[in-house]
Amino acid sequence: MAPKTERVMFLRAVRQLHRVRTFYVMGILMWSASTVWTAWQSPGTRQMWVSALLLAVFTGLLLTATLSLRRLEPPRTGEPVHHAATRKATGPRKAHA
């Protein structure tokens, strides 16, 4: 069995990846709007290409964070997880005389 601190660190890493992924989505939205606006105002300029480059960087970071989260997910078996024994009696009950 793994020590408790490893489990806590694992959960912390998953939570942080979720937050980072949200940050990257917001960055993608901002840089895509900036790229579209700059391409509309002055196409082909250095500012447009920098915006497009930053959009590509944030897209790559989002892809990396999403793949890391998928790698950290436990495998799904389709069966419910039972952590405790059932409460049913193992045999038929018989009344005492």
Side-chain angles (χ1 to χ4, degrees), residues 23-87:
F23 176 77
Y24 292 155
V25 167
M26 296 304 293
I28 287 173
L29 291 175
M30 183 186 76
W31 287 114
S32 61
S34 173
T35 303
V36 167
W37 179 261
T38 308
W40 182 266
Q41 294 294 318
S42 51
T45 60
R46 182 176 295 181
Q47 289 85 7
M48 185 200 78
W49 291 113
V50 168
S51 291
L53 176 70
L54 288 171
L55 175 63
V57 166
F58 271 87
T59 304
L61 289 171
L62 177 66
L63 180 66
T64 303
T66 302
L67 290 176
S68 296
L69 271 174
R70 286 198 181 215
R71 188 177 50 91
L72 290 175
E73 280 182 357
R76 297 183 184 185
T77 60
E79 297 177 7
V81 178
H82 297 287
H83 296 288
T86 60
R87 297 190 187 271

